[in-house]
């Protein structure tokens, strides 16, 4: 792809008219003609509906919808232009914002500090053509076992964290750690490209250990900053195949200054377990050590009901399949309603996953769901971004 700079379609988003003109002047020198303009996030989204754009040059601080929120909205759309951030904030804020955008799966090329000058902007604009429309690569491509094996040694495991909030108090009560795999050649890959292959090739135990170590280290860092909430980690049924797993979890948590009762393991039943005795013993031992156990993706498995009776779960997590469709789809709604009522009967806190809209929030709240997780609240983000997110969530009146 050798598209020249002058072919780029640029959208400038800044509340300051002077700044827009300054960027336009620089673009003019680079022979980039007729950039689009918007004064805030909302009108930027309107511009994007009207015309195709290759790259957005976006201010971080704007009244109304700021740059951070704008990135979140952008990630929910079908076409994602590349993004260059502008800000008078210091470098660390810009870096965090860039990481946040990347965690959303956006192509954030980098950040330019204000006052904007030609060289850094030009350098970033030159990257646009290099790999248009690069997003999380997942369904299409999986990693090979060899790539996973090498990646584990090369520190390819990254975690992002998605808030879980109480419906009653709107406080953040915990986060779920989600895997992102950074491949040297292919960029950031989704867990679906990694987990199934790891499970089949016997690498899942090493992968889960790495994930638990990273999640506990992050949790220890939050504790040191005075932040106290639960951290959930997904485990595969294959992880419940080792008698030393409970000790590994507890020792890793304690080594980072994390109380095991702050740790939740989300367990999905991927298939009917031929021999339930071993996982049952392991889960019971984890529970005895204070670790929380969540039955994940509830409603999608084959014998979920049966498992609920046998395993000492502390939380029931309804799969997003039944949440997303519920307002319009009778079958999804029926699954949602019956899952909630089962959770109530078993006196388990109920989490609704994948809440994306106010309508879905209102529906699950009216049904008595205790905790919500979903894009409506926040997308998964890097660990360092959580503290700021809590602040902005409160500032928004929650
Ligand atoms: P999950 O455990 O059901 O995790 C929730 C998934 O839903 C996450 O996808 C999350 O990003 C996504 N999600 C959350 N809210 C919304 C929403 O409002 N709308 C939509 N459309 N999606 C939402 P992700 O991160 O791609 O993870 C996919 C699955 O991969 C997870 O599903 C989990 O089964 C597995 N996974 C992720 N991280 C790990 C891990 O560290 N270990 C293991 N064993 N599995 C993992
Ligand atoms: Ca989960
Ligand atoms: Ca799910």
């Amino acid at each position: 792809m050798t598209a020249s700079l002058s072919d780029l379609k640029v959208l400038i988003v800044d509340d300051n008219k002077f700044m827009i003109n300054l960027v336009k002047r620089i673009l003019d020198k680079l022979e980039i003609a007729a950039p689009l303009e918007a004064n805030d996030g909302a009108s930027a989204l309107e511009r994007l509906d009207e015309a195709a754009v290759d790259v957005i040059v976006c201010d971080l601080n704007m009244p109304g919808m700021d740059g951070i929120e704008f990135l979140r909205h952008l990630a929910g759309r079908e076409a994602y232009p590349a993004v260059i951030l502008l800000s008078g904030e210091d470098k660390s804020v810009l870096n965090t914002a860039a990481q946040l955008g990347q965690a959303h799966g956006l192509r954030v090329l980098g950040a330019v500090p204000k006052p904007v000058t030609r060289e850094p902007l030009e350098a970033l604009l030159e990257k646009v053509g290099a790999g248009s429309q690069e997003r999380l690569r997942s369904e299409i491509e999986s990693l090979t076992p060899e790539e996973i094996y090498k990646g584990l040694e090369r520190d390819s495991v990254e975690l992002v964290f998605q808030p879980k909030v109480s419906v009653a108090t709107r406080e953040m009560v915990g986060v779920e750690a989600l895997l992102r795999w950074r491949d040297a050649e292919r960029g950031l890959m989704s867990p679906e490209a990694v987990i199934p292959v790891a499970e089949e090739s016997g690498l899942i135990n090493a992968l889960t250990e790495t994930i638990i170590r990273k999640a506990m280290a992050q949790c220890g860092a939050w504790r040191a900053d005075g932040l106290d909430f639960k951290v959930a980690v997904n485990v595969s049924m294959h992880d419940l195949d080792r008698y030393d797993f409970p000790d590994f979890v507890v020792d890793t948590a304690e080594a980072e200054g994390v109380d095991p009762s702050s740790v939740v393991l989300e367990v999905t039943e991927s298939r009917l377990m031929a021999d339930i005795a071993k996982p049952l013993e392991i889960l019971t031992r984890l529970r005895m050590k204070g670790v929380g156990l969540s039955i994940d993706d509830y409603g999608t498995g084959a014998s979920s009901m049966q498992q609920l009776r046998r395993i000492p779960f502390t939380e029931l997590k309804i799969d997003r399949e039944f949440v997303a469709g519920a307002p319009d789809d009778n079958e999804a709604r029926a699954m949602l309603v019956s899952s909630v009522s089962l959770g109530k009967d078993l006196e388990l806190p109920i989490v609704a996953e994948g809440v994306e809209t106010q309508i879905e929030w209102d529906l699950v709240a009216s049904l008595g769901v205790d905790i919500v997780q979903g894009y409506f609240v926040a997308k998964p983000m890097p660990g360092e971004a959580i503290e700021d997110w809590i602040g902005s969530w409160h500032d928004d009146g929650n």
Side-chain angles (χ1 to χ4, degrees), residues 136 159-160 162 176-180 190-192 195 199 204 207-208 211 233-236 239 266 268 296-297 317 319-320 324 353-357 360 373-380:
L136 286 184
L159 297 180
V160 288
Q162 188 177 32
E176 176 180 7
L178 294 159
L179 171 66
R180 298 291 178 265
S190 102
E192 272 99 7
I195 302 286
E199 286 181 340
I204 189 71
L207 177 59
T208 300
I211 290 166
V233 179
N234 292 284
V235 295
S236 156
D239 294 311
E266 299 194 358
T268 310
D296 203 0
D297 294 343
K317 204 164 171 189
D319 191 66
R320 67 180 144 101
E353 175 188 274
V355 171
E356 292 187 353
T357 63
E360 287 163 6
Q373 178 182 349
Y375 295 174
F376 181 63
V377 175
K379 280 202 171 176

Side-chain angles (χ1 to χ4, degrees), residues 184-227:
E185 280 105 51
R186 299 196 257 178
L188 213 53
M189 309 201 45
S190 102
E192 272 99 7
V194 188
I195 302 286
V197 180
E199 286 181 340
E200 280 159 27
S201 59
L203 290 165
I204 189 71
N205 295 26
L207 177 59
T208 300
E209 279 190 13
T210 306
I211 290 166
I212 289 177
R213 281 207 187 88
K214 294 213 175 216
M216 292 306 110
Q218 176 61 68
C219 189
W222 283 322
R223 290 293 177 282
D225 287 340
L227 298 169

Side-chain angles (χ1 to χ4, degrees), residues 24-25 41 53 64 100 127 134 137 162 169 180 247 297 336 363 386:
K24 272 168 87 175
R25 250 197 320 262
V53 166
L100 201 64
K127 296 209 279 187
E134 181 186 44
R137 300 262 192 94
Q162 188 177 32
T169 66
R180 298 291 178 265
D247 284 331
D297 294 343
L336 177 66
L363 175 64
I386 285 284

Side-chain angles (χ1 to χ4, degrees), residues 216 244-258 260 289:
M216 292 306 110
D244 60 352
F245 187 65
D247 284 331
F248 170 77
V249 173
V250 169
D251 293 348
T252 309
E254 286 175 345
E256 298 287 353
V258 174
K289 292 172 187 287

